[in-house]
Amino acid sequence: MNESRTTLDVTHLSRTIQTNGKQKTIVNDVSFSFTCGTIYSIVGPSGAGKSSLLRLINRLDEPNTGDVIFNGADYRTYSPNELRRHIGYLFQTPYMFPGTIAENVRYAAEDIDDNRVAELLEQVGLSSDMADSEVDNLSGGEKQRVALARLLATKPSVILLDEPTSSLDPTATKGIEKLVRRIAEDRCLIVIMVTHDPQQALRLEGETLLLVKGRLIEHGSSERVINDPQSDEGRRYKDRELT
Amino acid sequence: MNEITFVDVAISLALVVLAFGVSRFWKVPVQKEMSLGVLRAFVQLVAVGYALDRIFAIDQIWLIALVMLVMLAVGAREASVRTKKLPGAFWLAFSAMTTGTVVTLAIMLATGLFELKAMVIIPLIGMLVSNSMNAATLTINRLFDNLTENRLAVETSLALGKNWRQASQRFRIQAATAGMVSIFNFMKTVGIVALPGAMTGMILAGKPPLEAALFQLIIGYMLLSAVTLTVVMTLELMVRRFFTPFDQFSPPTRG
Ligand SMILES: Nc1ncnc2c1ncn2[C@@H]1O[C@H](COP(=O)(O)OP(=O)(O)OP(=O)(O)O)[C@@H](O)[C@H]1O
Ligand SMILES: [Mg+2]
């Protein structure tokens, strides 16, 4: 399975929704090819459609037009459940199933043993001693990390992360960034990470996609897109975010 | 008791007068509802009494079936009024209640415990339908609230590769429990807190209490069967409407 390298392409992906009688295109004709081993940061103003794009790639929503091609095949040829095990999605707000941390990590990977659970917890920067404690009292940041461990437990080859560090302190944030970079490189994963912090995109290096009003405005090396945008929207985004 | 006549009812109006006077004296502003309720109950019950008189006299299968259909339709309509949030609740409740009622009744007739006589079957249908209606209403409301309020939980399951059935399981179980809670409570307190209607009726009509109790037991088990079938059918028919064929969460909206 690791022989062939994961590929992911989205072509002309659009989604239009109805809000109080009006049509609104929240993802507008987005095309892009992702290659494994690279981290892709998605930046853009609030409401730009960043989460909506991730939901489309995970097939939690249906696009009006366009395709997602995963490992060379139309994603519709996979069952949605199988597809989502390959293309994991971490929600902007983590949800914990009632029970223990270990039960959450095992939620979608019932057969992993205690050692593997401990390993996953350590990987996301949690102590493996916590495995048997209830999730009720976890902080937002801890929940986010349990959710990440739960996602990694299914061994996805693409991971979609929606602002995974927004409720973490700087140290934990750096920890997650390091982890994400390592798993992207070691296992040649495709990591697509939404962030509201352009500095984070710069730290992650890799590539950055700038979305504005559902459109993919700029893409390229993070350094270039963040520091030297070519488009008006890109410059406006830079002026607003970096000053 | 002797044969009951309109004169007896007129005498019992003394109690209505009492209730009226008490509420008025204590300034509970319910006289209007009270008068309306008293009148309504009178008209409805007398009409039903006359109608059943005729129906029992004719005693034809087609007529029993027709009466059942009307009861189910009225019950499903009431259920859909009480479940405002879910569009299309009428047909959902109707199908589920029909399953619960018809299957239960068919089994009872097949065992020969009851004769296929209007006088026997129609009161039974009434009990089955009203219990199924309550069960369907509670189940629909609970599942609707559960799923719409737990969108993130449901979608988190889906995003981890679970199918709609797995993603909704916890919420379906809670809704099923809600739908069955009154029948469980009934079975828990029956005979201790109150004598149920059928049994009371039989005792008042002069039947030996043990016989009345055994009869009531059979009724209780019938209700359990009808309610359980209704709840399960309601869930099966309803939960699908919250998901697309691609395991995407898409709750039904009004209009
Ligand atoms: N279910 C929905 N109903 C109505 N509007 C929606 C829905 N989902 C998304 N939208 C709208 O689509 C647009 C894109 O939303 P999305 O959540 O993808 O933005 P975002 O870039 O992730 O924003 P943020 O940075 O605030 O998370 C927004 O205008 C949002 O209001
Ligand atoms: Mg978002």
Side-chain angles (χ1 to χ4, degrees), chain B residues 40-247:
Chain B
R40 224 186 129 147
F42 181 85
V43 173
Q44 283 176 3
L45 282 174
V46 169
V48 165
Y50 273 120
L52 288 179
D53 239 12
R54 299 294 308 139
I55 291 165
F56 291 178
I58 300 168
D59 201 11
Q60 296 272 325
I61 295 184
W62 64 264
L63 194 55
I64 299 178
L66 184 69
V67 170
M68 180 167 79
L69 204 66
V70 171
M71 284 178 169
L72 284 167
V74 172
R77 161 126 182 84
E78 178 65 20
S80 76
V81 169
R82 291 196 215 159
T83 52
K84 282 198 185 64
K85 286 175 279 189
L86 183 75
F90 175 84
W91 287 111
L92 175 68
F94 185 80
S95 317
M97 289 164 56
T98 303
T99 309
T101 305
V102 170
V103 171
T104 304
L105 208 60
I107 293 171
M108 289 319 278
L109 289 171
T111 57
L113 272 173
F114 292 106
E115 275 179 276
L116 185 52
K117 289 188 66 174
M119 201 182 90
V120 180
I121 300 300
I122 287 178
L124 288 180
I125 294 174
M127 284 189 270
L128 293 175
V129 168
S130 66
N131 280 273
S132 300
M133 178 188 79
N134 285 327
T137 307
L138 291 168
T139 307
I140 292 172
N141 279 334
R142 185 59 183 271
L143 187 66
F144 187 92
D145 290 346
N146 257 349
L147 289 179
T148 48
E149 285 162 16
N150 289 285
R151 178 176 200 122
L152 183 62
V154 173
E155 288 198 321
T156 299
S157 292
L158 294 176
L160 286 163
K162 301 283 179 175
N163 61 33
W164 62 268
R165 204 173 264 288
Q166 296 162 322
S168 64
Q169 190 187 19
R170 195 154 42 102
F171 306 114
R172 282 186 289 126
I173 290 171
Q174 288 169 3
T177 313
M180 292 197 270
V181 81
S182 48
I183 187 77
F184 290 153
N185 283 340
F186 172 79
M187 291 193 297
K188 230 184 282 170
T189 58
V190 69
I192 299 170
V193 177
L195 292 184
M199 186 170 169
T200 310
M202 281 178 81
I203 293 173
L204 288 176
K207 290 274 184 188
L210 181 61
E211 199 187 322
L214 295 181
F215 181 74
Q216 183 62 56
L217 259 184
I218 297 173
I219 304 270
Y221 297 158
M222 285 179 77
L223 295 182
L224 179 67
S225 144
V227 161
T228 307
L229 285 167
T230 301
V231 165
V232 169
M233 275 302 283
T234 302
L235 293 173
E236 279 300 308
L237 294 173
M238 180 171 168
V239 74
R240 284 157 210 271
R241 300 182 45 200
F242 284 74
F243 296 90
T244 72
F246 310 117
D247 285 311

Side-chain angles (χ1 to χ4, degrees), chain B residues 5-51:
Chain B
T5 63
F6 280 102
V7 178
D8 301 325
V9 175
I11 295 170
S12 71
L13 273 177
L15 297 167
V16 173
V17 173
L18 175 71
F20 204 89
V22 167
S23 66
R24 192 163 183 158
F25 181 78
W26 292 100
K27 298 199 166 56
V28 192
V30 290
Q31 287 78 32
K32 201 172 156 201
E33 280 98 325
M34 209 179 256
S35 325
L36 222 68
V38 167
L39 205 70
R40 224 186 129 147
F42 181 85
V43 173
Q44 283 176 3
L45 282 174
V46 169
V48 165
Y50 273 120

